[in-house]
Amino acid sequence: MPSSLKARVRARMEKTKEPYQQALRHVRAEEGRMPVASPRVERARRVADTAFAIAVIRAREAELPERERLFYDPFASLFPPDSTEASEGAARFFALPFFRDGIRLRTRAIDDAVREAIDAGIRQLVLLGAGFDMRGHRLPEVAAHGVRVYEVDTPEQLERKQITLKRSGLSNAANVAYVGFDFDTRDLAEELAGALEMAGLRIGERCIFVWEGVIGYVDDATIDGSLRAMAQVGGPGARVAFTHAEGSFGSETGSARLARLGYHLDHDDTGESLWRRYLPG
Ligand SMILES: C[S@@+](CC[C@H](N)C(=O)[O-])C[C@H]1O[C@@H](n2cnc3c(N)ncnc32)[C@H](O)[C@@H]1O
């Protein structure tokens, strides 16, 4: 991004307190380059509400005896569904076969992927579509190694997360930055890089990206753009831990898509392989 544009965006952010992407859109609109997009508020809210069902499952895990837990998230119980629609939406998820164990297993597997990345010297963790993921607060390895955490989600979702944390007396952790951002944009790679850089991320210095439970809610162009953005932001040696379902990559297989975009697929677990690893017997 040209530095003159960057400076104008920064000045607008300071003046209006708008999140990066909104400021960028206004500056571009002033230049006549792009109309200010009207947010698809209702759909975004429904998608955002899906994070509650996940938080409920993680909260139940914390109630299990320690030897039975796959992970410990003492913060998840702060995020019960906050409206009738959100409760009904969560109930629909709970009715799905294996929903609970699926969330338990993927949470643990991604926790392990984050720990491995930290062991390998990675010090930047980016949660794309962070929702109510509290890895930045709850994984002891993050604090122990001074890992900087960037939580990316819509500004509305991050606002309600921050309000909840504040109400619960949990002041913002110094190592966590909140990056309000909508992935549904034409210039995803450039805009995401800009937003993360403004939030303090060192572009090109290895990151681990967590992209958990997001692919199902964005279209194929956004999936592609997100993968390109992560490659650009994280540079060589960056890692991505993500969840996907059959058909997530259209007519392509996941491994073909990843290879085409320059990724090396290190491992591809199925629900069954995770089950055998973490819930033997
Ligand atoms: C199912 S939740 C998963 C939350 C979290 N990753 C987890 O596993 O706990 C999906 C999250 O992706 C976010 N999301 C979906 N589409 C998005 C978009 N276009 N831009 C930004 N965030 C988006 C939602 O707001 C929501 O928080």
Side-chain angles (χ1 to χ4, degrees):
M1 183 188 295
S3 53
S4 58
L5 179 60
K6 225 183 248 182
R8 291 182 61 201
V9 173
R10 198 184 291 276
R12 184 169 173 107
M13 284 170 76
E14 273 161 21
K15 190 165 147 214
T16 62
K17 306 291 172 228
E18 283 167 354
Y20 168 81
Q21 205 175 21
Q22 204 177 329
L24 175 67
R25 284 183 181 164
H26 276 106
V27 169
R28 280 184 167 161
E30 280 159 21
E31 286 178 346
R33 280 184 60 189
M34 197 193 274
V36 177
S38 63
R40 279 148 283 192
V41 179
E42 211 183 296
R43 181 176 184 278
R45 177 73 185 217
R46 273 203 314 275
V47 172
D49 280 351
T50 59
F52 285 118
I54 299 165
V56 170
I57 302 297
R58 293 185 181 141
R60 286 188 196 160
E61 194 76 7
E63 292 164 9
L64 292 177
E66 203 175 331
R67 64 179 186 288
E68 287 174 31
R69 279 183 214 144
L70 296 185
F71 56 88
Y72 182 55
D73 186 342
F75 304 103
S77 60
L78 300 174
F79 302 100
D82 68 353
S83 66
T84 312
E85 294 79 39
S87 300
E88 287 169 0
R92 279 195 292 277
F93 277 114
F94 300 148
L96 294 173
F98 305 115
F99 179 73
R100 178 177 173 218
D101 282 328
I103 299 296
R104 296 177 68 214
L105 289 165
R106 82 180 204 198
T107 302
R108 169 59 184 271
I110 293 178
D111 281 2
D112 285 350
V114 171
R115 288 191 192 101
E116 276 170 32
I118 296 173
D119 273 355
I122 290 179
R123 295 292 178 260
Q124 305 192 103
L125 166 62
V126 183
L127 305 174
L128 285 185
F132 306 133
D133 181 335
M134 291 295 287
R135 287 189 176 92
H137 295 68
R138 72 178 173 80
L139 291 182
E141 295 82 357
V142 166
H145 294 277
V147 175
R148 294 277 312 154
V149 182
Y150 299 86
E151 296 203 3
V152 185
D153 208 300
T154 60
E156 297 73 22
Q157 180 80 318
L158 292 180
E159 194 185 354
R160 68 178 169 174
K161 182 173 190 175
Q162 284 172 281
I163 289 172
T164 303
L165 292 179
K166 210 165 170 189
R167 252 195 232 129
S168 313
L170 291 161
S171 53
N172 289 343
N175 65 320
V176 179
Y178 296 96
V179 185
F181 191 86
D182 185 350
F183 304 130
D184 193 4
T185 175
R186 259 183 306 176
D187 296 325
L188 180 52
E190 188 195 2
E191 288 187 12
L192 185 60
L196 287 166
E197 196 179 4
M198 293 267 181
L201 183 129
R202 291 179 297 276
I203 301 290
E205 193 172 296
R206 291 183 307 158
C207 310
I208 165 124
F209 295 91
V210 169
W211 196 29
E212 181 182 6
V214 180
I215 287 184
Y217 300 104
V218 294
D219 63 19
D220 195 59
T222 305
I223 292 175
D224 227 65
S226 302
L227 286 165
R228 288 176 200 278
M230 287 185 262
Q232 183 179 319
V233 168
R239 300 179 181 199
V240 185
F242 69 102
T243 56
H244 66 102
E246 228 173 284
S248 291
F249 297 95
S251 54
E252 249 175 325
T253 61
S255 49
R257 173 73 61 97
L258 292 167
R260 186 161 63 74
L261 296 178
Y263 284 80
H264 159 75
L265 186 61
D266 189 57
H267 45 272
D268 188 7
D269 281 303
T270 60
E272 202 183 321
S273 64
L274 293 181
W275 202 297
R276 271 190 257 115
R277 186 181 315 150
Y278 295 118
L279 294 170

